[in-house]
Amino acid sequence: MKKLLCLLTALVILISLAGCDIITPKLLELLNTDACLNVHFIDVGQGDSILMESDGEFVLIDAGEKEYGPAVLEYLKKCGADRLKYMIATHPHSDHIGGMRKVLDGIETDNFIAAETDQETYAWLKVLRAVDKKNINYIDAKVGDTYRFGEATFRILAPLSGNYEGYNNYSIVTMVECGDIRFLLTGDAETDSEKEMVNAGEDLRADVLKCGHHGSSTSTSAAFLQTVKPSYAIISCGKNNDYGHPHRETLKKLRLMQCTCLRTDTVGTIIASTDGTHLSFSTERGRKEIPTMDANERQEVEIGYVGNKNSHVFHYATCTGAMSMSEKNRVEFSTREEAIKEGYTPCASCEP
């Protein structure tokens, strides 16, 4: 019986390790060596981990759950990341920072960026202790601060407040730029944070949006999506996860925006490469006909507005209120001014 238990335990460990194997040699062979920026959306199951590389300098944003730490570390080393210029912890949830301790132990890190919260979980405290023990420069994330790595930069856009309920909205949101190409990376930021960013008047337009909170309906709000106007959306989530991520409402919004959606649960690790003008993608498990993009030919889709004949309220077409509206109550407008002229008032939720 004891031998049987040992065998079963060993089997469970092997299965667990196999599930965390994110080393993809064939994918890394496809890396664009002429790119000024490569952004790796690493498949860490139901979590986030993003590696950015420009001109031999590396930035890591999050590292998945604890069990993914060794695999993330190995992936970084396969990419030639023997030193991190910056490590960013978007927020202290374990599916984002659980694997960081392992990475900190295995790779020299110059700077650690985090937003102040009152979170004191065991996993988060272990990360902070590792940062302190290795004498890594701790940077308190401040909106507007800009950092350079190689030929690229990232600018901190959020969090803009300090009194959120829960920790998702404390997520550090960064705008990454290289030449004319922009990536908006949002951690688990939800509607409250998105609304603050829109109201702040910051230029949020981006070619690639990493959807907040694994594609949950609590993020990627209509007003935010309409402001960002991405050509591509990345969703990092686990296959058959318990939360139903990505939610169908989010996927429908992206379809309405004619946005190409790539998901780690379906294609594995995703690498976006740019020379500052062109943008291309490679994926671990392949995906046919991922369109490439040229910044000089960028086209923004105008999705229009939808009014409710009964309530006389109008919405962005990507608003949940518009998507759930019955056809008999639906009236479409090309512009906001047209809707107001017809006597319709703006939706209080999406604020068109």
Side-chain angles (χ1 to χ4, degrees), residues 213-220 225 235 237 241 243-256 261 263 317-320 323-324:
H213 201 194
H214 319 290
S216 169
S217 59
T218 61
S219 304
T220 319
L225 194 56
I235 296 176
C237 62
N241 64 83
Y243 307 97
H245 295 156
H247 290 155
R248 62 178 180 273
E249 298 96 326
T250 300
L251 296 177
K252 186 172 182 180
K253 291 176 191 177
L254 296 173
R255 286 196 297 271
L256 285 171
C261 182
R263 298 162 44 179
T318 49
C319 178
T320 303
M323 293 191 297
S324 61

Side-chain angles (χ1 to χ4, degrees), residues 116-289:
E116 292 293 337
T117 72
D118 60 358
Q119 180 81 308
E120 293 187 354
T121 63
Y122 181 65
W124 181 232
L125 290 175
K126 282 183 69 175
V127 170
L128 295 180
R129 288 191 191 106
V131 170
D132 185 60
K133 181 179 179 181
K134 300 195 73 172
N135 200 30
I136 297 168
N137 182 41
Y138 181 95
I139 300 173
D140 186 13
K142 299 294 184 185
V143 170
D145 285 355
T146 301
Y147 302 89
R148 175 169 290 278
F149 63 105
E151 299 179 57
T153 63
F154 65 88
R155 186 170 74 262
I156 296 176
L157 304 182
L160 284 156
S161 300
N163 56 350
Y164 303 110
E165 291 185 11
Y167 291 103
N168 286 340
N169 280 313
Y170 283 99
S171 290
I172 295 174
V173 176
T174 53
M175 179 70 79
V176 183
E177 298 183 63
C178 187
D180 296 325
I181 301 299
R182 308 176 98 202
F183 295 77
L184 185 54
L185 310 176
T186 60
D188 275 358
E190 297 182 326
T191 303
D192 288 347
S193 180
E194 292 177 350
K195 186 175 181 179
E196 288 177 340
M197 285 186 276
V198 171
N199 291 342
E202 182 78 32
D203 182 5
L204 298 176
R205 289 174 299 175
D207 303 294
V208 181
L209 170 66
K210 201 291 293 184
C211 292
H213 201 194
H214 319 290
S216 169
S217 59
T218 61
S219 304
T220 319
S221 57
F224 187 67
L225 194 56
Q226 183 69 9
T227 305
V228 177
K229 292 182 169 62
S231 298
Y232 302 87
I234 307 293
I235 296 176
S236 182
C237 62
K239 190 173 183 180
N240 300 322
N241 64 83
D242 294 336
Y243 307 97
H245 295 156
H247 290 155
R248 62 178 180 273
E249 298 96 326
T250 300
L251 296 177
K252 186 172 182 180
K253 291 176 191 177
L254 296 173
R255 286 196 297 271
L256 285 171
M257 291 290 293
Q258 299 178 32
C259 182
T260 299
C261 182
L262 299 172
R263 298 162 44 179
T264 59
D265 63 327
T266 58
V267 300
T269 295
I270 301 158
I271 302 177
S273 301
T274 181
D275 60 2
T277 301
H278 304 91
L279 182 61
S280 60
F281 292 84
S282 302
T283 65
E284 178 183 357
R285 293 193 284 275
R287 176 188 167 104
K288 294 181 180 179
E289 299 178 1

